[in-house]
Amino acid sequence: MAAINETHDPALRSWVESANDPATDFPIQNLPFGVFSRAGGEPRVGVAIGDQILDVTACLEANLLESDAAFAAAEACRSTTLNALMAADRLSVSGLRLELSRLLRDEESGGPGARATAAVLVPMAEARMHVPADIGDYTDFYASIDHATNIGKMFRPDNPLLPNYRHVPIGYHGRASSIVASGASVRRPLGQTKPADAETPVFGPTKLLDYEAEVGFFVAGGNRRGEPIPIARAEDHIFGFCLVNDWSARDIQAWEYQPLGPFLAKNFATTVSPWVVTAEALAPFRVPARARGADEPAPLPYLFSPGNEEEGGLALTLDVLLLTERMRAESAEPFRVSRGSLADMYWTPAQMLAHHASNGCNLRPGDLLASGTVSGSSEDSRGCLMERTSRGANPVALPNGEERRFLQDGDEVVMRGCCRRIGFVTIGFGECRGIVEPAVERSH
Amino acid sequence: MAAINETHDPALRSWVESANDPATDFPIQNLPFGVFSRAGGEPRVGVAIGDQILDVTACLEANLLESDAAFAAAEACRSTTLNALMAADRLSVSGLRLELSRLLRDEESGGPGARATAAVLVPMAEARMHVPADIGDYTDFYASIDHATNIGKMFRPDNPLLPNYRHVPIGYHGRASSIVASGASVRRPLGQTKPADAETPVFGPTKLLDYEAEVGFFVAGGNRRGEPIPIARAEDHIFGFCLVNDWSARDIQAWEYQPLGPFLAKNFATTVSPWVVTAEALAPFRVPARARGADEPAPLPYLFSPGNEEEGGLALTLDVLLLTERMRAESAEPFRVSRGSLADMYWTPAQMLAHHASNGCNLRPGDLLASGTVSGSSEDSRGCLMERTSRGANPVALPNGEERRFLQDGDEVVMRGCCRRIGFVTIGFGECRGIVEPAVERSH
């Protein structure tokens, strides 16, 4: 489990000036990993610092990384994905972050290391970001009890929260092929729906297109098939975190989801923020797991560890903003529709991961697990429109007079996340954005 | 859509004598693709012929493959998986099969081509078979209406077949990481279950371990995200077929599956037969799609095509056999527990694939889709123990006096498949086997 160390020191400043801007998501205390490319170039592993990207392989080639401790992790960055880095020894990854932190510090300013490092910085404005890993399997959980209750009320009015919820970290397998990086547009899907007043289903564009604001985490290391990961070691298998938009078509979902769960309602696109904020960088923002009420069962032993109870949660604030076509034409800023916190989840990331592997299911480095919609108990913390508008009954009013029950073509959904704590520098996640395109022309 | 051509000629015989044995799964009319390795060697692409494997890359290197038409497909075989071959032009794959068929024919016997080809044969007994593709995503359907009804009765006595079933080819995403090739053992999973008489769930080894006999098909080519595949072109995206055992833990499934579907009950292991029988080789065994009864709805237009109605089904017989530890000690043969047919499915492979892509979900070459349990209307056609024994109420009697309600440690499940038709040579699929190992020792 990551402890607070010198890379978290709030006094650290970087000679990359933009990293010292209080508004940046990427101060020197963050140093998230991602995969970027420049026009015509191959994808490369980089680290975000302010509005710049440090090209890790270029650092290696310029002999800037010399620590033995960091060697394995640095070599693993010679790749077009983060999978090898996620498979590398965690101490080595930590060593690499420390070495990068030292290279980028203010006190190095003007020195030969800083001059050489400056030469391998790439402005973010010139880079295109990619899905950071080759995601072998993507699993989506359902860790917010508020979300499960709110959604359950709509799909099953008599039976909103199922009896298994407080015992089982409910999850399902999502689609890996359609995971895209922030910025990719999302076409409104076609699908079967059954209008309430119709005898038979119809096929056509979804009328209830929605987002779900989630937090994702990438698997570090892995386990062999047949060998569970004990909860006490689960965090060793969490490399880092990103934001996830689990786009959802609610009318398709309602008609298809029984008995095997969501399928085409979800697998047309999932957007991830491209920077993976390491579990190490987030060490200062750990909080206790959500307390169980007196009427709630204790986690079964395979989901319980003192460390998880004490600091298995993460105080990660997740905002959802909307920017409609008209707002863009009016040069308006995106409008915040909700703000939730990962700390409100019923299950922690470690519990989700330990549960996932409890039957011997093998997780691989680069696999993505996501929290499910991050919703809290208040209306403005509800992380999807289905909940936020009570299935369209209470539309969201936008500042320009528009309103939204569900997403319309041309709407852009923007998710932002950050971790704040007094005495520490705020760590951001960058954006997870996507714009809705009209449905494809139908050939039948 | 593949038409019957000279490679299907029942008069063809091979100079590989074992390919002419009426009992072989791999006559010269089959020529399935797979990935094999020899002790200490890298995986290579091969084609099964009798009890031998033709090493395709070695054929290339020996200049045995000279047709321009086959060039792209043959080059795509220089790989450790079939993904590139599955991405290759279908005409080229067909050209490669034709060229291999000609090389292996009896009339070539003694000629220079045959001699050179014989030099690159590898005995199956010396080879280890691998999962044939790097499976990006694995999707499991639920295409047998008999299975859906039988299982539905057990999970939902009042509501066995849900209202969507006859309209929607129900499917869900499975786990790619735990797909293993025939022969791999499967450890009995641990998991949460809730005994009927208990207030709260318990965690431990599943007591209701089951198999599901399915047919899988691999995606050829692919589609871009946002671009559906019309049903009339769906078969162009089916490379070939294999057998699938979707191991299932019924007690875990019953407790976890609502509302998001099966998860840990299924993702601990899925076994595939390693030879991919091409859609082309199966052309003679096509049959009409299952007829809809007068009280059943016609498929929606996106799931309807005249070609699919006429010959979208496949007369593939699927047997499940059991071999217990005691039977092995007694040197008994595996005992057949059920025999089903893919022709009984409510949905055809083309309908499953077109449905999958109908929302714009991108399929990639090498993705695996599976039919769901292949069951028919008779008791002995039920493709899982849950159905076959009515959840254990009517155990299967084995010839040595043993009986089975669910799988016990040491049981081996063997699936075999074949396509038969008068006037054609029978095409087999090889075996899909796996033995159940005891659950892992629990650390808590």
Side-chain angles (χ1 to χ4, degrees):
Chain A
M1 176 151 330
I4 293 174
N5 60 36
E6 71 165 82
T7 64
H8 302 105
D9 181 353
L12 292 181
R13 292 173 62 84
S14 174
W15 48 260
V16 180
E17 263 314 313
S18 57
N20 305 320
D21 181 339
T24 187
D25 278 338
F26 308 119
I28 192 170
Q29 291 81 2
N30 191 345
L31 304 179
F33 291 95
V35 173
F36 72 99
S37 62
R38 287 201 279 188
E42 284 292 297
R44 298 168 74 90
V45 172
V47 166
I49 179 80
D51 61 7
Q52 304 290 309
I53 301 171
L54 183 59
D55 181 328
V56 182
T57 309
C59 287
L60 265 173
E61 287 162 358
N63 296 315
L64 292 166
L65 301 172
E66 294 171 341
S67 126
D68 285 347
F71 183 77
E75 283 293 322
C77 291
R78 294 188 196 267
S79 177
T80 57
T81 68
L82 297 184
N83 292 68
L85 185 65
M86 289 170 175
D89 180 78
R90 301 300 299 283
L91 281 175
S92 182
V93 177
S94 183
L96 175 60
R97 285 187 75 254
L98 178 60
E99 199 166 12
L100 295 174
S101 169
R102 288 177 178 165
L103 274 175
L104 290 163
R105 285 181 200 172
D106 206 24
E107 57 262 36
E108 297 299 316
S109 181
R115 283 202 304 277
T117 305
V120 298
L121 287 177
V122 175
M124 282 186 184
E126 292 175 15
R128 181 179 152 220
M129 298 303 300
H130 300 266
V131 176
D134 180 6
I135 296 169
D137 280 288
Y138 160 48
T139 303
D140 201 12
F141 284 87
Y142 196 54
S144 161
I145 194 168
D146 294 300
H147 172 70
T149 306
N150 290 334
I151 288 284
K153 273 181 200 156
M154 296 177 229
F155 283 103
R156 295 172 305 276
D158 302 335
N159 197 14
L161 193 72
L162 294 168
N164 56 12
Y165 189 85
R166 289 188 171 89
H167 300 277
V168 182
I170 296 290
Y172 70 104
H173 292 295
R175 180 86 188 168
S177 73
S178 54
I179 296 176
V180 294
S182 180
S185 60
V186 171
R187 189 168 267 178
R188 178 180 297 274
L190 307 180
Q192 269 197 47
T193 59
K194 188 167 170 296
D197 55 355
E199 283 272 309
T200 53
V202 296
F203 184 78
T206 176
K207 293 179 173 151
L208 307 182
L209 185 61
D210 201 355
Y211 57 78
E212 291 193 335
E214 307 195 5
V215 174
F217 48 106
F218 284 95
V219 172
N223 61 309
R224 284 193 221 173
R225 189 172 59 88
E227 297 183 3
I229 298 172
I231 180 134
R233 292 211 299 269
E235 293 205 356
D236 298 342
H237 294 274
I238 298 176
F239 182 88
F241 293 80
C242 68
L243 310 182
V244 175
N245 183 348
D246 176 29
W247 302 88
S248 299
R250 300 302 186 185
D251 41 1
I252 298 174
Q253 185 176 358
W255 176 233
E256 78 170 0
Y257 92 104
Q258 285 192 320
L260 300 184
F263 179 47
L264 300 190
K266 301 268 194 176
N267 68 7
F268 56 94
T270 303
T271 306
V272 295
S273 60
W275 292 108
V276 183
V277 178
T278 61
E280 183 178 58
L282 297 173
F285 309 99
R286 302 172 60 103
V287 293
R290 178 178 164 130
R292 298 294 189 259
D295 57 338
E296 291 180 322
L300 281 169
Y302 80 101
L303 295 173
F304 178 88
S305 81
N308 184 64
E309 294 299 304
E310 201 175 307
E311 52 169 11
L314 189 61
L316 193 172
T317 300
L318 182 54
D319 288 353
V320 180
L321 304 94
L322 272 182
L323 185 65
T324 69
E325 200 160 4
R326 209 178 106 196
M327 288 165 75
R328 271 195 304 280
E330 295 162 354
S331 300
E333 288 296 303
F335 174 74
R336 195 177 85 205
V337 176
S338 70
R339 166 168 288 180
S341 171
L342 192 65
D344 290 337
M345 301 296 93
Y346 197 81
W347 300 106
T348 65
Q351 285 173 319
M352 296 181 229
L353 188 137
H355 179 67
H356 202 324
S358 65
N359 67 343
C361 178
N362 51 322
L363 309 181
R364 297 178 290 191
D367 284 351
L368 180 64
L369 281 63
S371 61
T373 306
V374 174
S375 291
S377 54
S378 69
E379 246 181 57
D380 66 358
S381 69
R382 295 177 175 179
C384 64
L385 285 174
M386 178 84 166
E387 276 177 87
R388 184 73 182 79
T389 72
S390 300
R391 197 172 191 158
N394 305 308
V396 171
L398 301 174
N400 68 356
E402 289 185 287
E403 58 176 36
R404 282 295 180 274
R405 297 164 198 271
F406 286 93
L407 294 172
Q408 297 192 6
D409 292 348
D411 285 354
E412 186 166 21
V413 179
V414 183
M415 294 178 186
R416 293 178 187 152
C418 74
C419 290
R420 282 180 213 281
R421 180 176 160 196
I422 289 171
F424 289 88
V425 173
T426 298
I427 298 286
F429 284 75
E431 286 185 335
C432 178
R433 333 177 49 121
I435 194 164
V436 177
E437 287 189 337
V440 69
E441 290 289 321
R442 293 161 64 184
S443 55
H444 36 75
Chain B
M1 176 149 337
I4 293 176
N5 61 35
E6 69 164 85
T7 64
H8 302 105
D9 182 351
L12 292 181
R13 292 174 62 83
S14 174
W15 49 260
V16 178
E17 263 313 312
S18 57
N20 305 320
D21 180 342
T24 186
D25 278 339
F26 308 119
I28 191 169
Q29 290 82 1
N30 191 345
L31 303 179
F33 291 95
V35 174
F36 72 98
S37 63
R38 286 201 279 188
E42 283 293 295
R44 298 168 74 90
V45 172
V47 166
I49 178 77
D51 60 7
Q52 304 289 308
I53 301 171
L54 184 59
D55 180 329
V56 181
T57 309
C59 287
L60 266 172
E61 285 162 359
N63 295 316
L64 293 167
L65 301 173
E66 293 172 341
S67 127
D68 285 348
F71 183 77
E75 283 293 322
C77 291
R78 293 189 197 266
S79 178
T80 58
T81 68
L82 297 183
N83 293 68
L85 185 65
M86 290 170 174
D89 180 78
R90 301 301 299 282
L91 282 175
S92 183
V93 177
S94 183
L96 176 59
R97 285 187 75 255
L98 178 60
E99 200 166 10
L100 295 174
S101 168
R102 288 177 178 165
L103 274 177
L104 290 164
R105 284 180 200 173
D106 207 26
E107 57 263 36
E108 295 300 316
S109 182
R115 282 201 305 275
T117 306
V120 298
L121 287 178
V122 174
M124 282 186 183
E126 292 174 15
R128 181 178 152 218
M129 298 304 300
H130 300 266
V131 175
D134 181 6
I135 297 167
D137 279 290
Y138 159 48
T139 303
D140 200 13
F141 283 87
Y142 197 55
S144 162
I145 194 169
D146 294 299
H147 173 69
T149 306
N150 291 333
I151 288 284
K153 274 182 200 156
M154 295 177 231
F155 283 103
R156 296 173 304 278
D158 303 334
N159 196 15
L161 193 72
L162 294 168
N164 55 12
Y165 190 86
R166 289 187 170 87
H167 301 277
V168 182
I170 296 289
Y172 71 103
H173 292 295
R175 180 85 190 170
S177 72
S178 53
I179 296 176
V180 294
S182 180
S185 59
V186 171
R187 190 169 266 180
R188 178 181 298 275
L190 306 180
Q192 269 197 47
T193 59
K194 189 167 168 299
D197 55 356
E199 284 273 309
T200 54
V202 296
F203 184 79
T206 176
K207 292 178 175 153
L208 306 183
L209 185 61
D210 202 354
Y211 56 79
E212 290 194 334
E214 308 196 3
V215 173
F217 47 107
F218 285 94
V219 172
N223 61 309
R224 284 192 224 175
R225 189 173 60 87
E227 299 183 3
I229 298 172
I231 179 132
R233 291 211 299 269
E235 294 206 356
D236 298 343
H237 294 273
I238 297 177
F239 181 88
F241 293 79
C242 68
L243 310 183
V244 175
N245 182 349
D246 176 28
W247 302 89
S248 298
R250 299 303 184 185
D251 42 0
I252 298 174
Q253 185 176 357
W255 175 233
E256 78 169 1
Y257 91 103
Q258 284 192 318
L260 300 184
F263 180 46
L264 300 190
K266 301 267 195 179
N267 68 5
F268 56 95
T270 304
T271 306
V272 296
S273 61
W275 292 107
V276 184
V277 178
T278 62
E280 183 178 57
L282 297 173
F285 309 99
R286 302 172 60 102
V287 293
R290 178 180 165 128
R292 297 293 189 260
D295 57 338
E296 292 181 320
L300 281 169
Y302 81 102
L303 295 173
F304 178 88
S305 81
N308 183 64
E309 294 298 305
E310 202 175 305
E311 50 170 11
L314 189 60
L316 193 174
T317 300
L318 182 54
D319 288 353
V320 181
L321 304 95
L322 271 183
L323 185 64
T324 67
E325 201 162 2
R326 207 177 107 196
M327 289 165 74
R328 272 195 304 281
E330 294 162 354
S331 300
E333 287 297 302
F335 175 74
R336 195 176 86 206
V337 175
S338 71
R339 166 168 287 178
S341 171
L342 192 67
D344 289 336
M345 300 296 93
Y346 198 82
W347 301 105
T348 65
Q351 286 173 320
M352 296 182 230
L353 189 136
H355 179 66
H356 202 325
S358 65
N359 67 343
C361 178
N362 52 321
L363 309 181
R364 297 178 290 191
D367 284 351
L368 179 65
L369 281 63
S371 61
T373 306
V374 174
S375 292
S377 54
S378 68
E379 246 181 58
D380 64 359
S381 69
R382 295 177 175 179
C384 63
L385 285 174
M386 178 85 165
E387 276 177 88
R388 185 72 183 78
T389 71
S390 300
R391 198 173 191 157
N394 304 310
V396 171
L398 302 175
N400 68 357
E402 289 185 286
E403 58 177 37
R404 282 295 179 274
R405 297 163 199 272
F406 286 92
L407 295 172
Q408 297 191 6
D409 293 347
D411 284 355
E412 186 165 21
V413 180
V414 183
M415 295 178 184
R416 293 180 186 148
C418 73
C419 289
R420 283 180 211 280
R421 180 177 160 195
I422 290 170
F424 289 88
V425 172
T426 299
I427 298 285
F429 285 74
E431 287 185 334
C432 179
R433 342 178 39 124
I435 193 164
V436 177
E437 287 189 339
V440 69
E441 290 289 320
R442 295 161 66 185
S443 55
H444 37 76

